[in-house]
Amino acid sequence: NNKYYEEHKEERKEKIKHYQDQHKEEIKEYSKQYRDQHKEENQQYYMEHKEEFSLKKKKFRRKNILLCLFRDAKRRSKEKNMEFSIELSDLKIVGACPVLGIPMFSDINGISNNSPSIDRIDNNGDYELSNCRFIELVDNVKRRWYQQRLKLRV
């Protein structure tokens, strides 16, 4: 049984992918119904294992910082009805913050003041490669706070 599975592993993966592609909407609807039907159970399980989830999330973010930054930026652009034309392969962390010159890194908890953050150079512009750069998280937060204060004064 195990030998057969190993020999046909790639074939099975292809069949599963083909099925998922052909039945995308049905799977999406089933998943939604399942989540709705098991909402209380899932919430209870989450509350009982909250610390585990938190640690796994931090560990994943630390190991996959570019993917997480990419997803977060894509989500924000969708929420704000903005254009998003960046590809994950476009993202590269240069090492030091171009504004402060301080090395960027994720600490053991996943996010720190020195963590890289995607900054839109022109906040009225879209998420395009020419309008985005990596800067330190703390600097990005300060810039956002400062710009919001300026808007309040006008």
Side-chain angles (χ1 to χ4, degrees), residues 18-123:
H18 180 73
Y19 179 85
Q20 289 172 337
D21 290 343
Q22 298 297 315
H23 299 87
K24 199 174 268 187
E25 290 304 314
E26 293 171 50
I27 293 170
K28 193 175 181 179
E29 183 59 32
Y30 175 80
S31 295
K32 184 182 179 326
Q33 287 176 0
Y34 183 87
R35 278 193 311 273
D36 291 345
Q37 289 172 355
H38 296 86
K39 192 172 187 174
E40 287 181 25
E41 295 169 42
N42 291 339
Q43 286 174 339
Q44 182 179 352
Y45 183 83
Y46 175 78
M47 294 308 289
E48 291 170 0
H49 300 87
K50 199 172 185 177
E51 188 64 30
E52 285 177 54
F53 280 105
S54 178
L55 290 172
K56 284 182 181 180
K57 186 177 179 180
K58 287 176 183 178
K59 186 176 179 180
F60 180 85
R61 186 168 185 88
R62 191 172 58 251
K63 286 186 173 186
N64 301 283
I65 189 71
L66 285 177
L67 176 62
C68 292
L69 290 171
F70 176 78
R71 286 179 179 169
D72 292 346
K74 195 169 188 174
R75 177 187 42 78
R76 286 191 303 272
S77 73
K78 200 174 201 175
E79 289 170 355
K80 298 175 183 179
N81 293 323
M82 301 174 87
E83 187 70 31
F84 187 88
S85 61
I86 299 172
E87 296 294 327
L88 181 58
S89 59
D90 294 333
L91 301 181
K92 301 207 178 6
I93 299 173
V94 292
C97 174
V99 176
L100 301 175
I102 298 170
M104 294 183 288
F105 59 87
S106 294
D107 74 0
I108 199 150
N109 292 316
I111 298 177
S112 71
N113 289 342
N114 298 87
S115 293
S117 173
I118 295 178
D119 173 51
R120 281 180 298 129
I121 299 164
D122 173 9
N123 282 336

